[in-house]
Amino acid sequence: MVNIRNIKNMLVSLDLTDIDVRMIEYAYFLSRTFKIDKIYFVHIIQAYELGHKEKKLKEIQNSINQKIQNDIDHIYDHHLDKATQTEVITRIENENAAQGVVNLISEKNVDLTLIGLKQGEDRKGKYAKEISAKAGSDLLLVPEEPENKIKHIFCAVDFSDKSEEAFQRALDLAKATGARLSCYYVYDIRKEYFPGGTNQSQSALEKKINRRYKKYLSKFNLNLSNVNPSYNINEKLDNSAEKIYAHSYNNNADLIIVGTKGRIGSKISLLGNITANLIHIDTEIPVMIIKKHKNKRRWSIFGS
């Protein structure tokens, strides 16, 4: 394995429920796969949850820290090497737990933040959405039962500068894991032809999309055969995320990667809308959200 550029440390947000054990296990799987230097396991306590117990704050923090550490030690003993450093952090946030996580991401210079997403009524998309919008790190949304493998990486692109960082990360991870890499483009007709629509033939659209793919991939010294390219012609922006997830699920992907820039859900960004909607879908596949970073060098894993 090789080190993944720009992923040196990782923050894992825990909520003291059953999902925590799988979050810890998946975090250690990633630490081995990505060669992570340090993991911060974090639990933010909302002040209102303490009731009249604020006077025993230190005792509460120590108790929570010990519970999390016990879970970590148990997983260490059964599954993991001990090369990766860990730190358990419990903090009180008076108003907003999500902001507490965002503050720690900045304070610890975190590169990748893991957020657990539960199924059905227990899902708290608002928490993940706020962290996604505010955090300086990339984000990985982890379902309740993630598989500890990355053999097929699925990257959503829109051929914009915004998606290049996500595609670069997909390339990096493919090299590190030996995973197959697939690209998927949602061709939004409304964006280019609104309000008139288009009468272009299917053949003409395919040729146009292939030209875009070739131009985009040439920036990375790649060709169409390297990335299993596919696309969907979509007239409704609001279901693009569902199309991406369904296509990745049907093709047995282990990880979805999508890029975004600025505030999640921005109307000017197709990928921003897709990212916001992916947060609210009950997924069985982890979703990695890549922020736009500056001064990062492109490189190719496939050669010219």
Side-chain angles (χ1 to χ4, degrees):
M1 296 293 181
V2 298
N3 289 80
I4 305 297
R5 296 178 307 114
N6 309 311
I7 306 183
K8 298 297 183 182
N9 55 68
M10 184 164 60
L11 184 149
V12 183
S13 180
L14 304 175
D15 66 0
L16 305 187
T17 65
D18 291 343
I19 197 175
D20 281 2
V21 172
R22 291 298 290 121
M23 289 285 290
I24 294 169
E25 289 178 345
Y26 193 69
Y28 276 121
F29 160 69
L30 294 180
S31 76
R32 295 194 309 272
T33 304
F34 299 169
K35 298 297 182 182
I36 299 290
D37 294 332
K38 186 167 186 178
I39 307 174
Y40 298 97
F41 293 100
V42 173
H43 177 65
I44 304 296
I45 307 170
Q46 292 276 191
Y48 64 75
E49 294 175 350
L50 296 174
H52 300 291
K53 299 177 182 178
E54 266 191 277
K55 294 180 180 179
K56 297 183 179 181
L57 176 58
K58 194 66 177 178
E59 181 180 334
I60 293 169
Q61 286 181 308
N62 289 339
S63 175
I64 292 174
N65 282 357
Q66 189 58 54
K67 180 187 184 307
I68 295 171
Q69 191 63 56
N70 287 343
D71 288 339
I72 293 170
D73 291 342
H74 177 75
I75 294 169
Y76 247 164
D77 291 341
H78 287 79
H79 303 291
L80 309 159
D81 61 49
K82 300 190 178 184
T84 302
Q85 298 180 30
T86 64
E87 181 178 343
V88 177
I89 301 174
T90 300
R91 287 190 178 177
I92 304 294
E93 185 67 33
N94 289 328
E95 296 182 0
N96 189 331
Q99 185 60 50
V101 173
V102 171
N103 292 341
L104 271 170
I105 290 168
S106 176
E107 178 185 324
K108 301 297 184 181
N109 196 27
V110 169
D111 300 311
L112 180 64
T113 299
L114 272 61
I115 303 293
L117 291 183
K118 300 174 183 178
Q119 297 289 324
E121 294 181 358
D122 291 330
R123 195 176 184 85
K124 296 181 179 179
K126 181 180 178 182
Y127 184 77
K129 184 175 180 180
E130 183 170 354
I131 295 174
S132 299
K134 295 181 178 180
S137 73
D138 297 332
L139 195 75
L140 183 59
L141 308 178
V142 183
E144 286 185 323
E145 296 292 336
E147 292 192 62
N148 292 346
K149 67 184 180 75
I150 301 179
K151 295 184 178 180
H152 184 192
I153 297 170
F154 190 90
C155 184
V157 299
D158 67 356
F159 304 137
S160 69
D161 292 343
K162 299 179 184 68
S163 72
E164 287 185 18
E165 199 70 42
F167 187 72
Q168 183 65 69
R169 176 57 55 79
L171 289 173
D172 290 354
L173 298 187
K175 180 177 177 66
T177 61
R180 179 163 60 99
L181 176 59
S182 296
C183 274
Y184 189 65
Y185 170 48
V186 177
Y187 183 56
D188 179 29
I189 290 177
R190 295 190 321 163
K191 191 172 183 180
E192 296 192 25
Y193 298 98
F194 183 85
T198 179
N199 292 318
Q200 292 186 85
S201 69
Q202 182 74 20
S203 176
L205 286 173
E206 287 179 0
K207 289 179 181 179
K208 183 173 184 177
I209 291 169
N210 280 334
R211 285 197 300 270
R212 288 188 175 184
Y213 258 125
K214 288 177 181 178
K215 182 178 179 180
Y216 184 77
L217 294 174
S218 69
K219 299 178 182 180
F220 303 88
N221 297 319
L222 302 176
N223 56 52
L224 296 177
S225 64
N226 296 135
V227 297
N228 305 301
S230 56
Y231 66 91
N232 178 274
I233 298 174
N234 187 26
E235 297 180 1
K236 294 182 179 180
L237 187 63
D238 58 0
N239 68 354
S240 296
E242 292 181 1
K243 289 179 181 293
I244 288 172
Y245 177 72
H247 195 75
S248 62
Y249 181 85
N250 291 335
N251 285 274
N252 299 313
D254 304 304
L255 178 65
I256 299 170
I257 298 180
V258 63
T260 189
K261 180 181 180 181
R263 189 168 184 83
I264 300 298
S266 168
K267 292 182 179 179
I268 64 172
S269 170
L270 174 63
L271 289 183
N273 280 282
I274 288 172
T275 301
N277 290 332
L278 279 170
I279 290 172
H280 295 286
I281 296 174
D282 280 341
T283 66
E284 298 179 24
I285 304 170
V287 178
M288 184 178 287
I289 300 168
I290 308 300
K291 295 295 189 75
K292 183 70 175 177
H293 300 287
K294 296 180 179 179
N295 302 321
K296 291 188 177 180
R297 179 174 58 89
R298 296 194 190 101
W299 62 293
S300 170
I301 65 170
F302 296 106
S304 57

